[in-house]
Amino acid sequence: MDKLDIAVIIGYFILVAGIGITMGRTVRNTKDYFTGNRSVRWFMGGISNYMTMISTFIFIAYAGISYQDGLTALAVMWSSCFATILGTLFLARRWKRIPITTPTEFLEKRYNSGVRQTISWGGIVFRLLDNMVRLYAMGLFISAVSGFPLIQGILLTGTVVLVYTMIGGLWAVILTDVIQCVMIVLVSMILVPLVWMKAGGISGLYSAIPDHFCFTNGTKGSLGFLLVYYLMVLLKFNGNWAFIQRFYSTRSESESVKMGLFSALLFLILPVLFLFPAFAAPVIAPNLSNPETAYVAVCKILLPAGTMGLMLAAMFAATMSTLSAEYNVTSSVLTKDIYQRLFRKNAGDRELLITARIATFLIGILIMIGSIFIEKIGGAFEANKILTGLLGVPLVVPLIFGVLFKKPSSASAIASILTGISAGLFFWYTGWFSWEIGTLIQIVSTIAVLFLLGYLLPGTSDYRAKVVRFFEPIKRTISGGSGDVWEISCLKEDIPAAEEEMRSEEKTRILRTNAFIIAVFAGSLVFCSLLFFISGFFNIKDISGQLTAGAGGLCLLFAGIQIWRARKLYKEAK
């Protein structure tokens, strides 16, 4: 890497660390730390939700599919859009109606403490393994670009994420997610025109790689693979703790729905922008020994010094967004569902906040250590696919269907988890069936056991009455209401749409906090625009430098809009 690239990356790291330290001022308790005081706006939550789900995985694993099979990568990636739409339509309002601070907190009221602890502990193990894959992908990207050893890239990225997440809580996660999304979109907008010109446009690409223009090219484009993969992602996404957290952290039910639909739109559009360079890579960088380095190879060929640093910073951004969200939500489960529930039931909020930060630190360290060994599983995509099948699906089935249906019972929930994990291990170890057939059998058997045993072993009459009480606030609305305010008798303060009933002091605090957050956002955008301007200045004679400077101008314009919004909120707070 050039010295200018290194300077840009260091500048970006200072920015995200500064955001975390600054946002730490807004954290007063665990509700602020884990839910952002349930005041997250839909567009910020939507961007954060999108960034949480992508990481550098898209630029490594999906780029490798795009390099080998072309548009098939989009067919695979759009599984995220499908999963988000269904999750929003059927689950968004339900998650908002349940008064929770962690995604697994409701399980004790819905099932029992055993189910809550099983899914909490199992989910933590899965989240650790899943995020090791993401950090590995980031380390691989850094190693391919800079020549640094894999372990150095892993430690560098993991440490920066750990600092700002541990200090700033959910608002630091969401704000950095939005900044990182701006960065990655702008840098992609610089790279795509360069790729287009180098590859000779669509006509040049079609003449060189005609097979790539088919959505069903290669083994991952087969109907069987896509059907099973879409089903697996549907379950994984809607049982993802960070995904659930975004829904219940919004201000109202209507905002939770807007957030989900906005995320789905991003999942539909942005992959086209992000994967185009890898799609064209066979023309620009043919005969790569490792297809997962396709995106890196194109960047090294087309991007000059400075702009390459911005691209690398954007890749950091993608993975840091995912990891920060996962660190925060996994810490919430460790703190509330395990530490407080099992060891310190009467722990005060200050003690829980300290525990949350310690838990975040330990999670980050474990993920950094484990990510070093992911390569031995077969690479990013294969590792993600295997881990999701073995642990991800069995653990989320009782969680998802538990808020949709009354029939599953505590006994059937535990049995379904054991069935899913056992089936996954058996098919993976024996290799009797293809991945598609084995995973489909595993998913069907897990769901079947959940409902069949729920019917055969419904539990005691007291348990069934408890389940009925659990579902009452989910299904009951205030008569004549707008649909945004729902009757949740167990926690009335958890109805952010009824702002007219809130104390004026609380309203003022929320307005000032939101104004402060937007002001920090605006300042961060100004800093990002400077990085673009500096990088563009050194290459201003080239088209790449001009595009980079133009991206800086767009970033500055957006910052001006946010400054206007912050001033408006400050005036309203007075």
Side-chain angles (χ1 to χ4, degrees), residues 40-52 174 178 246 250 255 258-264 266-267:
V40 176
R41 296 300 303 272
W42 65 269
F43 61 92
M44 281 191 166
I47 293 172
S48 178
N49 186 51
Y50 174 75
M51 292 300 293
T52 296
I174 288 177
V178 177
R246 294 301 178 272
T250 54
E255 291 229 345
K258 289 179 184 177
M259 184 217 75
L261 295 178
F262 183 47
S263 295
L266 295 177
F267 279 118

mmCIF file of all heavy atoms in Angstrom, residues 40-52 174 178 246 250 255 258-264 266-267:
data_model
loop_
_atom_site.group_PDB
_atom_site.id
_atom_site.type_symbol
_atom_site.label_atom_id
_atom_site.label_comp_id
_atom_site.label_asym_id
_atom_site.label_seq_id
_atom_site.Cartn_x
_atom_site.Cartn_y
_atom_site.Cartn_z
ATOM 1 N N VAL A 40 -34.701 4.881 17.859
ATOM 2 C CA VAL A 40 -33.969 4.821 16.593
ATOM 3 C C VAL A 40 -34.929 5.133 15.439
ATOM 4 O O VAL A 40 -36.003 4.540 15.333
ATOM 5 C CB VAL A 40 -33.329 3.430 16.398
ATOM 6 C CG1 VAL A 40 -32.642 3.337 15.042
ATOM 7 C CG2 VAL A 40 -32.340 3.145 17.532
ATOM 8 N N ARG A 41 -34.549 6.082 14.561
ATOM 9 C CA ARG A 41 -35.370 6.421 13.411
ATOM 10 C C ARG A 41 -35.286 5.325 12.354
ATOM 11 O O ARG A 41 -34.271 4.640 12.213
ATOM 12 C CB ARG A 41 -34.915 7.755 12.802
ATOM 13 C CG ARG A 41 -35.082 8.944 13.720
ATOM 14 C CD ARG A 41 -36.529 9.138 14.119
ATOM 15 N NE ARG A 41 -37.412 9.291 12.986
ATOM 16 C CZ ARG A 41 -37.676 10.470 12.397
ATOM 17 N NH1 ARG A 41 -37.120 11.574 12.849
ATOM 18 N NH2 ARG A 41 -38.510 10.528 11.371
ATOM 19 N N TRP A 42 -36.376 5.186 11.571
ATOM 20 C CA TRP A 42 -36.492 4.062 10.642
ATOM 21 C C TRP A 42 -35.398 4.026 9.588
ATOM 22 O O TRP A 42 -34.898 2.965 9.235
ATOM 23 C CB TRP A 42 -37.871 4.068 9.980
ATOM 24 C CG TRP A 42 -38.147 5.250 9.094
ATOM 25 C CD1 TRP A 42 -38.721 6.434 9.447
ATOM 26 C CD2 TRP A 42 -37.859 5.365 7.693
ATOM 27 N NE1 TRP A 42 -38.803 7.284 8.372
ATOM 28 C CE2 TRP A 42 -38.290 6.654 7.277
ATOM 29 C CE3 TRP A 42 -37.282 4.510 6.745
ATOM 30 C CZ2 TRP A 42 -38.152 7.093 5.965
ATOM 31 C CZ3 TRP A 42 -37.153 4.958 5.438
ATOM 32 C CH2 TRP A 42 -37.577 6.229 5.061
ATOM 33 N N PHE A 43 -34.996 5.209 9.065
ATOM 34 C CA PHE A 43 -34.001 5.195 7.995
ATOM 35 C C PHE A 43 -32.620 4.833 8.530
ATOM 36 O O PHE A 43 -31.856 4.115 7.862
ATOM 37 C CB PHE A 43 -33.978 6.536 7.255
ATOM 38 C CG PHE A 43 -33.614 7.724 8.099
ATOM 39 C CD1 PHE A 43 -32.300 8.130 8.200
ATOM 40 C CD2 PHE A 43 -34.584 8.432 8.778
ATOM 41 C CE1 PHE A 43 -31.952 9.222 8.979
ATOM 42 C CE2 PHE A 43 -34.250 9.531 9.553
ATOM 43 C CZ PHE A 43 -32.933 9.925 9.670
ATOM 44 N N MET A 44 -32.297 5.293 9.760
ATOM 45 C CA MET A 44 -31.022 4.908 10.362
ATOM 46 C C MET A 44 -31.025 3.419 10.709
ATOM 47 O O MET A 44 -30.049 2.708 10.469
ATOM 48 C CB MET A 44 -30.759 5.746 11.617
ATOM 49 C CG MET A 44 -30.255 7.144 11.333
ATOM 50 S SD MET A 44 -29.659 7.941 12.839
ATOM 51 C CE MET A 44 -28.771 9.341 12.127
ATOM 52 N N GLY A 45 -32.145 2.959 11.274
ATOM 53 C CA GLY A 45 -32.248 1.541 11.605
ATOM 54 C C GLY A 45 -32.189 0.663 10.368
ATOM 55 O O GLY A 45 -31.599 -0.419 10.391
ATOM 56 N N GLY A 46 -32.803 1.131 9.268
ATOM 57 C CA GLY A 46 -32.777 0.364 8.018
ATOM 58 C C GLY A 46 -31.381 0.227 7.458
ATOM 59 O O GLY A 46 -30.968 -0.863 7.028
ATOM 60 N N ILE A 47 -30.640 1.337 7.451
ATOM 61 C CA ILE A 47 -29.254 1.292 6.969
ATOM 62 C C ILE A 47 -28.405 0.413 7.884
ATOM 63 O O ILE A 47 -27.607 -0.410 7.427
ATOM 64 C CB ILE A 47 -28.660 2.707 6.881
ATOM 65 C CG1 ILE A 47 -29.376 3.516 5.794
ATOM 66 C CG2 ILE A 47 -27.158 2.650 6.589
ATOM 67 C CD1 ILE A 47 -28.986 4.974 5.759
ATOM 68 N N SER A 48 -28.587 0.588 9.200
ATOM 69 C CA SER A 48 -27.824 -0.206 10.154
ATOM 70 C C SER A 48 -28.127 -1.695 9.995
ATOM 71 O O SER A 48 -27.226 -2.537 10.044
ATOM 72 C CB SER A 48 -28.146 0.244 11.583
ATOM 73 O OG SER A 48 -27.466 -0.540 12.526
ATOM 74 N N ASN A 49 -29.410 -2.006 9.788
ATOM 75 C CA ASN A 49 -29.798 -3.404 9.600
ATOM 76 C C ASN A 49 -29.138 -3.991 8.358
ATOM 77 O O ASN A 49 -28.648 -5.122 8.367
ATOM 78 C CB ASN A 49 -31.322 -3.498 9.486
ATOM 79 C CG ASN A 49 -31.807 -4.928 9.445
ATOM 80 O OD1 ASN A 49 -31.447 -5.743 10.288
ATOM 81 N ND2 ASN A 49 -32.617 -5.249 8.464
ATOM 82 N N TYR A 50 -29.105 -3.204 7.279
ATOM 83 C CA TYR A 50 -28.470 -3.670 6.053
ATOM 84 C C TYR A 50 -26.969 -3.891 6.270
ATOM 85 O O TYR A 50 -26.427 -4.935 5.896
ATOM 86 C CB TYR A 50 -28.688 -2.656 4.928
ATOM 87 C CG TYR A 50 -27.928 -3.007 3.672
ATOM 88 C CD1 TYR A 50 -28.367 -4.031 2.837
ATOM 89 C CD2 TYR A 50 -26.745 -2.356 3.333
ATOM 90 C CE1 TYR A 50 -27.659 -4.389 1.707
ATOM 91 C CE2 TYR A 50 -26.037 -2.703 2.202
ATOM 92 C CZ TYR A 50 -26.500 -3.718 1.392
ATOM 93 O OH TYR A 50 -25.784 -4.074 0.280
ATOM 94 N N MET A 51 -26.317 -2.900 6.863
ATOM 95 C CA MET A 51 -24.876 -3.004 7.059
ATOM 96 C C MET A 51 -24.523 -4.153 8.005
ATOM 97 O O MET A 51 -23.485 -4.796 7.860
ATOM 98 C CB MET A 51 -24.324 -1.686 7.606
ATOM 99 C CG MET A 51 -24.384 -0.529 6.626
ATOM 100 S SD MET A 51 -23.439 -0.825 5.105
ATOM 101 C CE MET A 51 -21.765 -0.831 5.753
ATOM 102 N N THR A 52 -25.410 -4.392 8.977
ATOM 103 C CA THR A 52 -25.172 -5.489 9.914
ATOM 104 C C THR A 52 -25.111 -6.835 9.213
ATOM 105 O O THR A 52 -24.395 -7.752 9.628
ATOM 106 C CB THR A 52 -26.283 -5.510 10.980
ATOM 107 O OG1 THR A 52 -26.210 -4.307 11.740
ATOM 108 C CG2 THR A 52 -26.135 -6.695 11.910
ATOM 109 N N ILE A 174 -25.146 2.123 15.445
ATOM 110 C CA ILE A 174 -26.019 2.585 14.371
ATOM 111 C C ILE A 174 -25.405 3.760 13.626
ATOM 112 O O ILE A 174 -25.427 3.828 12.386
ATOM 113 C CB ILE A 174 -27.407 2.951 14.936
ATOM 114 C CG1 ILE A 174 -28.140 1.663 15.328
ATOM 115 C CG2 ILE A 174 -28.229 3.754 13.931
ATOM 116 C CD1 ILE A 174 -29.475 1.866 15.962
ATOM 117 N N VAL A 178 -24.279 3.902 9.593
ATOM 118 C CA VAL A 178 -24.740 4.845 8.570
ATOM 119 C C VAL A 178 -23.551 5.506 7.874
ATOM 120 O O VAL A 178 -23.521 5.622 6.640
ATOM 121 C CB VAL A 178 -25.670 5.911 9.189
ATOM 122 C CG1 VAL A 178 -26.097 6.927 8.135
ATOM 123 C CG2 VAL A 178 -26.899 5.253 9.797
ATOM 124 N N ARG A 246 -33.076 -4.439 15.902
ATOM 125 C CA ARG A 246 -33.408 -3.220 15.154
ATOM 126 C C ARG A 246 -34.915 -2.962 15.188
ATOM 127 O O ARG A 246 -35.342 -1.816 15.234
ATOM 128 C CB ARG A 246 -32.931 -3.340 13.696
ATOM 129 C CG ARG A 246 -31.434 -3.405 13.523
ATOM 130 C CD ARG A 246 -30.734 -2.168 14.102
ATOM 131 N NE ARG A 246 -29.298 -2.276 13.961
ATOM 132 C CZ ARG A 246 -28.509 -2.859 14.853
ATOM 133 N NH1 ARG A 246 -29.024 -3.396 15.948
ATOM 134 N NH2 ARG A 246 -27.209 -2.914 14.670
ATOM 135 N N THR A 250 -36.829 0.692 17.437
ATOM 136 C CA THR A 250 -37.411 1.835 16.734
ATOM 137 C C THR A 250 -38.423 2.553 17.628
ATOM 138 O O THR A 250 -38.791 2.069 18.686
ATOM 139 C CB THR A 250 -38.115 1.387 15.439
ATOM 140 O OG1 THR A 250 -39.065 0.359 15.761
ATOM 141 C CG2 THR A 250 -37.108 0.843 14.443
ATOM 142 N N GLU A 255 -42.736 2.681 12.331
ATOM 143 C CA GLU A 255 -41.325 2.902 11.988
ATOM 144 C C GLU A 255 -40.573 1.584 11.877
ATOM 145 O O GLU A 255 -39.645 1.468 11.068
ATOM 146 C CB GLU A 255 -40.667 3.821 13.023
ATOM 147 C CG GLU A 255 -41.171 5.249 12.978
ATOM 148 C CD GLU A 255 -40.044 6.268 12.960
ATOM 149 O OE1 GLU A 255 -38.891 5.902 13.267
ATOM 150 O OE2 GLU A 255 -40.313 7.433 12.594
ATOM 151 N N LYS A 258 -41.381 0.433 8.391
ATOM 152 C CA LYS A 258 -40.630 1.243 7.422
ATOM 153 C C LYS A 258 -39.161 0.834 7.398
ATOM 154 O O LYS A 258 -38.547 0.737 6.336
ATOM 155 C CB LYS A 258 -40.739 2.723 7.777
ATOM 156 C CG LYS A 258 -42.101 3.350 7.544
ATOM 157 C CD LYS A 258 -42.067 4.815 7.973
ATOM 158 C CE LYS A 258 -43.424 5.471 7.848
ATOM 159 N NZ LYS A 258 -43.398 6.880 8.346
ATOM 160 N N MET A 259 -38.609 0.603 8.589
ATOM 161 C CA MET A 259 -37.203 0.193 8.678
ATOM 162 C C MET A 259 -36.957 -1.099 7.920
ATOM 163 O O MET A 259 -36.006 -1.232 7.145
ATOM 164 C CB MET A 259 -36.822 0.023 10.146
ATOM 165 C CG MET A 259 -35.357 -0.302 10.365
ATOM 166 S SD MET A 259 -35.085 -1.458 11.705
ATOM 167 C CE MET A 259 -35.610 -2.989 10.959
ATOM 168 N N GLY A 260 -37.841 -2.088 8.141
ATOM 169 C CA GLY A 260 -37.662 -3.369 7.478
ATOM 170 C C GLY A 260 -37.780 -3.279 5.973
ATOM 171 O O GLY A 260 -36.968 -3.861 5.232
ATOM 172 N N LEU A 261 -38.774 -2.536 5.482
ATOM 173 C CA LEU A 261 -38.959 -2.403 4.034
ATOM 174 C C LEU A 261 -37.812 -1.618 3.398
ATOM 175 O O LEU A 261 -37.388 -1.927 2.275
ATOM 176 C CB LEU A 261 -40.300 -1.725 3.737
ATOM 177 C CG LEU A 261 -41.548 -2.527 4.150
ATOM 178 C CD1 LEU A 261 -42.805 -1.732 3.849
ATOM 179 C CD2 LEU A 261 -41.586 -3.880 3.440
ATOM 180 N N PHE A 262 -37.297 -0.622 4.114
ATOM 181 C CA PHE A 262 -36.148 0.136 3.595
ATOM 182 C C PHE A 262 -34.919 -0.769 3.511
ATOM 183 O O PHE A 262 -34.158 -0.714 2.530
ATOM 184 C CB PHE A 262 -35.878 1.339 4.495
ATOM 185 C CG PHE A 262 -34.765 2.230 4.007
ATOM 186 C CD1 PHE A 262 -34.700 2.644 2.683
ATOM 187 C CD2 PHE A 262 -33.773 2.653 4.878
ATOM 188 C CE1 PHE A 262 -33.669 3.462 2.236
ATOM 189 C CE2 PHE A 262 -32.747 3.470 4.452
ATOM 190 C CZ PHE A 262 -32.686 3.876 3.126
ATOM 191 N N SER A 263 -34.733 -1.620 4.510
ATOM 192 C CA SER A 263 -33.628 -2.585 4.469
ATOM 193 C C SER A 263 -33.761 -3.511 3.266
ATOM 194 O O SER A 263 -32.783 -3.793 2.570
ATOM 195 C CB SER A 263 -33.603 -3.428 5.747
ATOM 196 O OG SER A 263 -33.323 -2.650 6.873
ATOM 197 N N ALA A 264 -34.993 -3.983 3.012
ATOM 198 C CA ALA A 264 -35.222 -4.873 1.874
ATOM 199 C C ALA A 264 -34.884 -4.185 0.565
ATOM 200 O O ALA A 264 -34.314 -4.804 -0.347
ATOM 201 C CB ALA A 264 -36.679 -5.339 1.865
ATOM 202 N N LEU A 266 -32.654 -1.842 0.134
ATOM 203 C CA LEU A 266 -31.188 -1.799 0.051
ATOM 204 C C LEU A 266 -30.625 -3.160 -0.354
ATOM 205 O O LEU A 266 -29.674 -3.228 -1.150
ATOM 206 C CB LEU A 266 -30.603 -1.360 1.399
ATOM 207 C CG LEU A 266 -30.928 0.062 1.856
ATOM 208 C CD1 LEU A 266 -30.329 0.326 3.237
ATOM 209 C CD2 LEU A 266 -30.405 1.097 0.861
ATOM 210 N N PHE A 267 -31.199 -4.235 0.180
ATOM 211 C CA PHE A 267 -30.754 -5.583 -0.187
ATOM 212 C C PHE A 267 -31.022 -5.886 -1.664
ATOM 213 O O PHE A 267 -30.339 -6.715 -2.269
ATOM 214 C CB PHE A 267 -31.447 -6.637 0.673
ATOM 215 C CG PHE A 267 -30.842 -6.822 2.025
ATOM 216 C CD1 PHE A 267 -31.585 -6.556 3.171
ATOM 217 C CD2 PHE A 267 -29.542 -7.263 2.176
ATOM 218 C CE1 PHE A 267 -31.038 -6.724 4.430
ATOM 219 C CE2 PHE A 267 -28.975 -7.434 3.423
ATOM 220 C CZ PHE A 267 -29.729 -7.163 4.559
#
